[in-house]
Amino acid sequence: MNHEQLNAISGRTTDQKYIKFISDEGWKYHTEEQLTAGYARRVKAEQGTPLSLEEFMAERGATGDNVLVKQLYHKLLPLVEKQALTALELYQFAKFGWCRNHPEAVTAYQTGPKSWAVNTCDEEIPEDRALLLINSEYGFEASRIKLLGTPYYDATDWNFICFHCGACDWIMRNGELCQIYQ
């Protein structure tokens, strides 16, 4: 966005979305200019335009020499280009710090003709714990489960575990089960 557009956004104090943004996230910004730029990034993402590397880093609060944030961005951008992620989801990776310390944790699997499951968790869990989780949640026989890649977990309802059982490949993502599209 250019300077005029930014001024127009900040001047719309009656805009309910802007007021909600200030209420929810205004505390993060030290100046009106930073607040306006933060809101502009969000609007840009909501309108379907991916953040640039600089905008991604600014949203993450990273300095120019943060290698992990740059690696994460470069891992995510191709997923946006092939429509596995939306521009808003790219923004959310920056905003919420998903996979911030482990860009290699970002994996994506197609779950339908136009749908994807992308990992947002970056804490590796032991294989035996992943097998127990799959077994207890969905009843798959633990001895027949073969994990595909590293299982990840952030909380009870935030997980990303790919596995093979029977004749199918599956993804357990954030408490939901999907078949991997073949």
Side-chain angles (χ1 to χ4, degrees), residues 101-117:
N101 296 321
H102 301 283
E104 69 279 358
V106 175
T107 56
Y109 291 90
Q110 196 164 359
T111 58
K114 294 184 178 185
S115 60
W116 291 79

Side-chain angles (χ1 to χ4, degrees), residues 91-134:
Y91 167 84
Q92 290 171 332
F93 266 88
K95 178 181 176 182
F96 298 121
W98 297 335
C99 299
R100 69 179 163 260
N101 296 321
H102 301 283
E104 69 279 358
V106 175
T107 56
Y109 291 90
Q110 196 164 359
T111 58
K114 294 184 178 185
S115 60
W116 291 79
V118 180
N119 182 26
T120 58
C121 304
D122 65 357
E123 181 181 328
E124 295 180 20
I125 60 171
E127 288 186 10
D128 58 338
R129 187 169 163 211
L131 294 174
L132 181 63
L133 188 60
I134 295 165

